[in-house]
């Protein structure tokens, strides 16, 4: 049987999988206050803050990528669908984070007294910048995401 | 050829419907959805918690709980 | 001259019927209920070439049996109201099962037109369909449409205007074999003798008799000729006939399909690939939960600024009104009563609009049925359908949109139970009450207490569902037979229309009840108590012991005394019906600390109440009468005051029992004294 994926797909799944899983775990660790050996300054520069549920979502996205990686390494053709769904999921979460960011910004104009000393970057999350990777993936594989109304993640064939 | 109920069929198996038993209301609905005798049905997969089950027939996807699948007699297509 | 006709839209669920309906009628739509039931009915108007069409959207059905309410509604409408034209919307990517309904519509003797929808997708999938041949075979017009982009709608309407003037020539192309045909003919002869049956298409009627359709047999029993009918039916075996008839219909369809189209079957479709991931054994549930989080964040977090705008606007409006109106009682009525009332209706609008936008995305994309597929095992344990899970989760944000979200549940009993138990999910408005009380009484352990309350809510909801299933909402379980439609990219237009429709329904149908409730409480809080000598609606008496509500609180004190509550708590709970977070505010007023939550917390911790009574109050707040907005939507969605009243008494009764047991047992054991 013809293989429907190559090194690019496998590498992307591994990379995105690791990045999402690690950011998600850090989010959760910050959220429940466990110190897992990350420098405070590093957490801040990566915009990782305590967010247990949001962290869970990133871990799930990462797991989807890694599952696809595992299946593709085993030579399962349909494994590539985990990569596509992973990309879609990460775009959904990117969208959500951006909307929440916008909502907070709007709210800071409406009730400024609740937002003293607040800066928009407090709502900037890894979910946003990691999404850029998925945008690149979406563009790279755009012919697989059919523009017809069916999400025809075609089999590459 | 062995007669079995649809809930016992392992995923990724193709079967042929022999008969639909069970209560009139559910039997009628199952027939209406196209599980008429002779129809080829593919068992795709079980839900993460084991129930319901996803089937493919007549070019579309259908899900039944095991309780409903139990009322469909089938034979495995070799 | 304009002609007026009725056009009914029929079709399977998930075939894009709504998008065709929207494309035909545009914004001229009216959403109501079918008479006597809570199944939704959409109607719209369209004028095309001097023909004025009243378009009725029938419920989406796979068949026309008597076993589901939707199907009975659809077929009764066709038989009783005799629409001039029935347009069946067909999913071109799924012809075989869709045409099954066509066979039944043809037997009903309707003037049928087929809208072959999503033809673009069928093409993309690699199918080819010969529309001309299909038309010849079925002897009805077949029009290709692409509903989501409005393609083919003009042609469809042209065909409607042409078809109304044509005498129907289509004959029954479905022959069911000698045995069935012979009995059918006999039945038809008997039916022809009694004018009572002339109302029904005779062939269809006799087929339904042979299938053992209960609804039709009941109708036949009213005829004088019933003994003769029964004699024929006794000779036949309905069970085997029904299978044979279904089988024959599918066989005819297959014969036709072989001639008119070429379906590409040997490829793993995009939908199958997505399903492999989202219903994966290990990842399916986590993916579902993470998407729920996304929907939750949008519905509640993203809504905050919009709710603040509404809040601030109405606060400003009330103040301005109070400043302009010099008569003090009138100022209070307008400001604290009416404007605050309208505000409390509108405050939920952002939540409702956003939740329905998210739900619409999930439904239109096809993910909703996967969610039901994934969660069904859990929900079936308490006798509910997988689709009940989403409203219950949304209930943690706000019960009001959550109850409206039960619309997605098809079975009316499942829906009713889901509506009745949703108020037990701890909504966002109850949280401030917990935070204040748990913080005041339990300090460091507040988190655990709050978590316990959420868990208690879930527990009560689950037990109640199970209980109701086996007592008051009995009946055999509806079979779980659910299609998992292909994934589609939802259209923004469709989702916005859906969201707007829900918002309108909320304002129209629930708004009035909420407004009356809020103004009612204002009146009670403003009328001086008998013998207190205060002035109506003066600031001094508003909501205090000198007001009517304070008076009522004192009267009902003996009722709540066994729970460890005094009259102040009783009054605060009465106010809480306006919105649960008000419990905190009114306690502040009643304990004489005004709006200051910190001092309220200090007073409580200092011994105004025992921690045990405080815990009881939290439990009571969780379970008792939901807020007015919630009552309003329960009434609207169940369509019955009886069930609304039931929820109120059941919830309040449970609240009382839980708080009673907690306080009595707890104080005997010396807990949290």
């Amino acid at each position: 049987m013809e293989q429907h994926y190559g090194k690019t797909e496998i590498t992307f799944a591994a990379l995105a999988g690791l990045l999402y899983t690690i950011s998600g775990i850090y989010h959760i660790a910050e959220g429940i206050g466990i110190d897992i050996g990350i420098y405070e300054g590093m957490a801040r520069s990566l915009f990782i803050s305590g967010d247990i549920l949001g962290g869970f979502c990133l871990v799930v996205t990462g797991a989807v990528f890694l599952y696809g990686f595992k299946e593709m390494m085993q030579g399962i053709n349909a494994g590539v669908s985990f990569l596509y769904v992973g990309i879609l999921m990460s775009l959904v979460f990117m969208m959500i984070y951006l909307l929440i960011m916008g909502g907070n910004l709007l709210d800071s104009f409406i009730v400024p007294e609740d937002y003293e000393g607040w800066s928009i970057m407090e709502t900037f999350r890894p979910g946003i910048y990691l999404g850029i990777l998925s945008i690149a993936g979406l563009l790279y594989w755009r012919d697989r995401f059919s523009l017809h109304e069916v999400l025809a993640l075609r089999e590459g064939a | 050829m062995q007669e079995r109920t649809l809930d016992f069929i392992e995923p990724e198996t193709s079967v042929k419907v022999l008969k639909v038993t069970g209560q009139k209301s559910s039997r009628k609905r199952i027939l209406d959805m196209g599980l008429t005798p002779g129809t080829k049905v593919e068992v795709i997969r079980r839900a993460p918690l084991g129930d319901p089950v996803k089937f493919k027939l007549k070019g579309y996807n259908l899900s039944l709980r095991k309780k409903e699948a139990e009322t469909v007699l089938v034979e495995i297509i070799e | 001259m304009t002609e007026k006709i009725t056009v009914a839209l029929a079709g399977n669920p998930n075939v894009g019927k709504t998008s065709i309906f929207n494309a035909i009628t545009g914004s001229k739509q009216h959403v109501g209920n079918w008479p006597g039931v809570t199944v939704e009915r959409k109607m719209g108007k369209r004028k095309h070439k001097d023909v004025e069409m009243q378009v009725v959207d029938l419920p989406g059905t796979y068949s026309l049996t008597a076993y589901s309410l939707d199907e009975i509604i659809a077929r009764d409408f066709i038989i009783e109201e005799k629409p001039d034209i029935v347009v069946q919307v067909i999913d071109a990517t799924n012809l075989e099962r869709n045409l099954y309904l066509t066979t039944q519509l043809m037997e009903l003797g309707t003037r049928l037109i087929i809208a072959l929808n999503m033809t673009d997708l069928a093409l993309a999938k690699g199918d080819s369909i010969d529309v001309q041949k299909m038309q010849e075979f079925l002897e009805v017009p077949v029009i290709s449409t692409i509903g989501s982009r409005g393609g083919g709608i003009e042609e469809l309407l042209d065909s409607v205007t042409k078809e109304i003037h044509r005498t129907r020539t289509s004959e029954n192309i479905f022959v069911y074999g000698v045995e069935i045909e012979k009995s059918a003919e006999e039945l038809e002869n008997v039916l022809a003798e009694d004018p009572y049956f002339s109302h029904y298409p005779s062939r269809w009627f006799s087929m339904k008799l042979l299938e053992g359709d209960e609804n039709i047999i009941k109708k036949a029993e009213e005829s004088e000729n019933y003994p003769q009918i029964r004699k024929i039916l006794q000779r036949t075996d309905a069970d085997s006939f029904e299978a044979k008839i279904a089988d024959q219909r599918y066989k005819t369809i297959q014969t036709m399909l072989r001639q008119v189209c070429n379906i590409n079957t040997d490829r793993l479709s995009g939908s199958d690939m997505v399903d492999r991931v989202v219903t994966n054994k290990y990842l399916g549930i986590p993916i579902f939960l993470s998407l729920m989080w996304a929907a939750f964040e949008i519905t509640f977090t993203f809504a905050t600024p919009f709710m603040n705008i509404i809040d601030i606007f109405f606060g400003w409006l009330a103040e301005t009104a109070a400043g302009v109106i010099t008569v003090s009682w009138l100022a209070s009525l307008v400001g604290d009563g009416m404007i605050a009332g309208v505000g409390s209706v509108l405050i939920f609008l952002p939540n409702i609009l956003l939740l329905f936008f998210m739900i619409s995305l999930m439904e239109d994309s096809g993910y909703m049925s996967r969610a039901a597929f994934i969660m069904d095992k859990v929900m079936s344990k308490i006798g509910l359908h997988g689709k009940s899970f989403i409203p219950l989760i949304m209930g943690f944000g706000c019960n009001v949109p959550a109850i409206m979200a039960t619309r997605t549940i098809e079975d009316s009993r499942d829906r009713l139970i889901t509506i009745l138990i949703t108020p037990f999910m701890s909504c966002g408005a109850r949280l401030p009450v917990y935070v204040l009380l748990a913080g005041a009484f339990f300090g460091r352990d507040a988190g655990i207490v709050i978590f316990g309350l959420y868990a208690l809510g879930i527990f009560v909801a689950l037990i109640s569902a199970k209980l109701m299933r086996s007592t008051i909402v009995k009946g055999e379980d509806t079979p779980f037979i659910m299609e998992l439609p292909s994934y589609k990219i939802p259209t923004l237009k469709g989702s916005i229309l859906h969201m707007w429709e829900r918002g309108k329904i909320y304002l129209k149908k629930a708004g009035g009840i909420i407004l009356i409730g809020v103004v009612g409480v204002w009146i009670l809080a403003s009328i001086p108590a008998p013998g207190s000598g205060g002035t109506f609606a003066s600031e001094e008496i508003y909501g205090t012991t000198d007001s009517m509500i304070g008076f009522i609180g004192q009267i009902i004190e003996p009722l709540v005394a066994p729970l460890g509550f005094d009259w102040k708590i009783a009054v605060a709970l009465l106010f809480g019906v306006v919105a649960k977070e008000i419990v905190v505010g009114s306690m502040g007023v009643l304990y004489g600390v005004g709006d200051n939550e910190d001092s309220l917390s200090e007073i409580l911790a200092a011994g105004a109440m025992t921690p045990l009574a405080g815990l009881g109050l939290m439990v009571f707040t969780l379970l008792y009468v939901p807020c007015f907005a919630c009552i309003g939507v329960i009434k609207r969605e169940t369509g019955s005051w009886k069930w609304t009243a039931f929820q109120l008494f059941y919830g309040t009764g449970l609240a009382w029992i839980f708080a009673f047991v907690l306080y009595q047992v707890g104080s005997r054991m010396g807990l949290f004294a």
Side-chain angles (χ1 to χ4, degrees), chain A residues 56 59-68 82 89, chain B residues 48, chain C residues 276-290 367 374:
Chain A
F56 168 77
V59 171
V60 173
T61 312
V64 170
F65 280 121
L66 291 178
Y67 203 95
F82 287 84
M89 280 176 70
Chain C
R276 260 197 102 232
V277 183
V278 302
T279 62
N280 178 280
K281 192 170 172 190
Y282 308 104
L283 294 172
I285 293 175
I287 291 174
F288 168 68
L289 293 177
S290 67
Y367 185 73
I374 290 167

Side-chain angles (χ1 to χ4, degrees), chain C residues 46-100:
Chain C
R46 171 71 183 250
K47 204 174 162 191
H48 185 80
K49 291 189 178 162
D50 282 344
V51 180
E52 202 166 296
M53 302 173 192
Q54 158 100 289
V55 188
V56 181
D57 193 15
L58 298 177
T61 62
Y62 294 104
S63 172
L64 292 175
T65 57
Y67 297 108
S68 104
L69 189 56
D70 286 352
E71 296 183 6
I72 294 177
I73 289 170
R75 86 180 193 190
D76 280 358
F77 183 82
I78 293 171
I79 299 170
E80 311 292 341
E81 311 285 322
K82 299 206 185 305
D84 299 282
I85 298 274
V86 175
V87 174
Q88 189 198 349
V89 184
I90 282 185
D91 175 359
T93 63
N94 189 359
L95 283 175
E96 191 171 343
R97 205 210 50 227
N98 274 262
L99 286 167
Y100 186 77

Side-chain angles (χ1 to χ4, degrees), chain B residues 27-28 32 54 63 65, chain C residues 100 211 242 275 376 482:
Chain B
R27 187 182 59 220
K28 185 81 180 102
D32 282 343
K54 177 185 166 186
S63 66
R65 279 189 193 149
Chain C
Y100 186 77
E211 277 181 287
E242 106 196 320
D275 264 356
D376 184 66
M482 184 178 67

Side-chain angles (χ1 to χ4, degrees), chain B residues 60-75:
Chain B
Y60 81 99
N61 292 309
L62 179 72
S63 66
L64 299 177
R65 279 189 193 149
K66 285 190 171 166
K67 198 166 150 253
E68 274 77 42
E70 210 176 22
T71 64
V72 183
L73 291 178
V74 296
E75 64 180 16

Side-chain angles (χ1 to χ4, degrees), chain C residues 36 49 115 337-338 344 386 416 480 489 511 523 528 552 571 585 587 638 658:
Chain C
K49 291 189 178 162
M338 288 160 73
S344 64
L416 177 61
F480 180 91
I489 294 176
I523 292 174
I552 296 172
V571 173
M587 278 172 72
T638 58
F658 271 77

